[in-house]
Amino acid sequence: MADIFISYKSERRPAARHLAKVLDAYGYTVWYDYGLVPGDEFEPRLMGELRAAKIVVVIWCAMAVRSEWVNREAMEAKRQGKFLPCQIESVALPAEFAGADTINLTGWDGAPRSHMLDRLLGDIARRLGRDPSVNFNRLRELDEDWRGYGAPTLAHFALGPALTPDALRSQSVRPAQEVLGTPPQGVSPNMAQHWENAKRGSAAALLEVGYAYHFGRDGLPKDESEAVRLYRLAADQGYGGGQAYLGFMYSEGHGGLPKDEHEAVRFYKLAVTQGHAVAQVYLGFMYEKGLGGLLKDEREAVRLYKLSADQGDANGQAYLGSMYENGSGGLPQDEHEAVRLYTLAAAQGNAYGQRRLGVMHQNGRGGLPQNDQEAVRLFTLALANGDVPAQGYLGFMYANGLGGLPRDDREAVRLWMLAAQQGNAFAQEQLKALGQHW
């Protein structure tokens, strides 16, 4: 006798199979495999399994709402008090089920380890009277299999053609001559090796060459469109780095892509399921600010920043430091911990960490002695690393002759002008006070 019976339209069997495997990894027994029932036993066996199960999960989609069988099973489940409806497509439900509290799985990316499953797992646990019992190895294997099939969403499992790793590879990895030609003159020896590996279809090498084009380094010119092309080739192989950086290009609208934060979130989620530290930060930021169709969730942002920081990622350390500094996302306000994290990030050349650590020195916070000279040093480093707000802080130090700098109103105004033109509110306020326009 299974804990859970899954009701679905037969064409959606891949979706039901994936969900069944996920629930099994969380310690629940599931019956879904109609295909093994002989024709003359079909109806009695189906209804017998439904009656024996404690919960009936109904997968609603465009085809299911028109299915006589799914509607019959849903009605019987409702009559028996076992009805647990879920949607994998946004569709109008049949009138008799329209008022039911339906779990929305349209936004679930299919990842076996996903917070989007929390409500479903919580409802199952409440009804069965026992919490999920995670089989970590099973869950990890399932996660690897899911990524091996191209990390499809549940709806993609349900609606798309059958996917296999071999088919995915044949679609994603092009012949060498179609990926890259001859490298330009003057590339570094390291880049030349990456180039050759990329021509053979290596996702990691495609990412390295794309990154070099993105920032114009290792002898390659800055070319964001080429970077996007190479990131996409890596992402098409299910490579987390390619997914993370392609998501970033969508979030900024770079490389000829439209600015599309929803698409950015989709790629970040794919990369996060692989534990990619950069994607954890990017997705955390989207949750912190409520971007890309996500509800603002600072606790989820903190969780993701911690995952990234634990891997030594400088952005993860710096953003987690900010959450501690402000006491956000359920964290206690702890400036000492903020300083520790900013110091780790600054040591890796992280501009945000350098600037925030400079502020802590400037104001003598987080257990640090007040030290304007150290603040100036850090602001200067942050500015050299492209941090716009650092211009505003350096302008303030020049305006007041602090940290060993000469008092220089002209230099202060110059820095504030640069920062104000890039939208920095502090610099704009300083210029307004002087009657200056930018």
Side-chain angles (χ1 to χ4, degrees):
M1 179 177 68
D3 295 322
I4 301 164
F5 176 102
I6 299 181
S7 174
Y8 59 96
K9 188 70 172 75
S10 59
E11 289 86 348
R12 288 7 187 182
R13 187 171 180 272
R17 180 175 60 237
H18 182 65
L19 181 59
K21 288 182 177 180
V22 170
L23 295 176
D24 175 75
Y26 282 97
Y28 299 118
T29 57
V30 183
W31 194 87
Y32 78 99
D33 208 347
Y34 304 178
L36 298 181
V37 181
D40 56 350
E41 299 177 15
F42 187 77
E43 184 170 357
R45 174 70 185 280
L46 225 62
M47 287 302 166
E49 294 288 349
L50 187 151
R51 283 191 293 270
K54 299 180 179 71
I55 298 171
V56 177
V57 172
V58 178
I59 300 179
W60 290 120
C61 64
M63 294 183 71
V65 297
R66 300 191 299 270
S67 166
E68 178 184 352
W69 271 108
V70 174
N71 277 267
R72 283 178 59 186
E73 291 166 357
M75 186 61 72
E76 182 63 19
K78 188 176 179 182
R79 188 185 68 80
Q80 295 183 28
K82 304 175 179 180
F83 184 48
L84 182 52
C86 302
Q87 280 183 278
I88 63 170
E89 288 185 294
S90 296
V91 292
L93 301 184
E96 56 268 46
F97 306 112
D101 187 14
T102 302
I103 295 174
N104 185 354
L105 293 180
T106 60
W108 178 36
D109 61 7
R113 293 180 280 188
S114 170
H115 72 284
M116 295 292 291
L117 289 172
D118 287 354
R119 187 183 165 201
L120 175 61
L121 292 171
D123 274 12
I124 291 171
R126 178 176 55 79
R127 295 185 187 208
L128 295 179
R130 70 177 192 273
D131 289 335
S133 177
V134 178
N135 182 329
F136 176 75
N137 289 330
R138 176 75 188 94
L139 198 62
R140 183 177 61 185
E141 290 170 4
L142 180 58
D143 189 81
E144 290 172 354
D145 288 345
W146 168 73
R147 285 189 274 108
Y149 281 90
T153 65
L154 194 66
H156 194 172
F157 264 118
L159 302 175
L163 296 173
T164 67
D166 287 343
L168 181 68
R169 280 191 289 271
S170 69
Q171 294 167 9
S172 300
V173 183
R174 303 178 186 179
Q177 63 271 22
E178 294 183 19
V179 175
L180 288 168
T182 304
Q185 290 275 335
V187 299
S188 69
N190 191 44
M191 179 49 55
Q193 185 59 61
H194 286 314
W195 192 283
E196 289 306 311
N197 291 338
K199 287 176 68 172
R200 290 192 286 269
S202 164
L206 286 165
L207 177 66
E208 290 292 337
V209 180
Y211 196 78
Y213 272 118
H214 187 167
F215 294 100
R217 68 179 203 182
D218 291 322
L220 293 179
K222 184 178 176 68
D223 186 339
E224 291 186 342
S225 294
E226 182 64 1
V228 163
R229 185 182 75 87
L230 295 168
Y231 290 160
R232 192 179 298 280
L233 287 171
D236 285 348
Q237 295 187 51
Y239 191 66
Q243 294 161 343
Y245 287 106
L246 184 58
F248 174 79
M249 301 302 262
Y250 270 111
S251 73
E252 299 297 316
H254 288 173
L257 295 176
K259 185 177 175 66
D260 188 339
E261 291 177 344
H262 288 76
E263 188 69 354
V265 164
R266 185 176 76 84
F267 278 110
Y268 293 158
K269 285 182 174 180
L270 292 174
V272 162
T273 63
Q274 301 182 56
H276 195 274
V278 171
Q280 288 164 346
V281 174
Y282 289 160
L283 186 58
F285 183 80
M286 303 300 266
Y287 273 110
E288 182 184 352
K289 304 300 181 183
L291 302 174
L294 298 175
L295 293 177
K296 184 172 181 176
D297 187 342
E298 291 184 344
R299 289 179 182 271
E300 180 63 7
V302 164
R303 185 186 75 84
L304 290 162
Y305 292 157
K306 281 184 175 178
L307 290 172
S308 178
D310 286 346
Q311 295 188 62
D313 184 83
N315 278 320
Q317 293 163 344
Y319 286 0
L320 184 59
S322 177
M323 302 302 268
Y324 272 110
E325 181 183 351
N326 297 301
S328 303
L331 295 176
Q333 187 170 24
D334 187 340
E335 292 187 345
H336 288 76
E337 181 63 5
V339 164
R340 185 185 74 83
L341 289 161
Y342 290 151
T343 301
L344 290 173
Q348 297 187 63
N350 181 269
Y352 182 71
Q354 290 165 338
R355 190 226 314 159
R356 291 311 307 166
L357 186 59
V359 171
M360 304 303 261
H361 278 288
Q362 180 186 16
N363 296 291
R365 292 165 52 192
L368 296 174
Q370 199 279 332
N371 188 336
D372 284 336
Q373 286 188 319
E374 182 62 7
V376 165
R377 186 185 74 83
L378 288 161
F379 293 152
T380 302
L381 287 173
L383 178 56
N385 286 319
D387 187 74
V388 172
Q391 295 171 324
Y393 285 107
L394 270 178
F396 178 85
M397 305 303 267
Y398 272 110
N400 293 279
L402 299 174
L405 296 176
R407 178 164 182 161
D408 188 336
D409 291 339
R410 183 172 294 181
E411 180 62 7
V413 167
R414 186 187 74 81
L415 289 166
W416 286 337
M417 280 286 186
L418 291 171
Q421 288 165 3
Q422 296 178 72
N424 182 255
F426 173 77
Q428 291 170 352
E429 289 173 5
Q430 302 307 308
L431 292 174
K432 281 182 183 177
L434 296 174
Q436 298 270 0
H437 298 282
W438 57 92

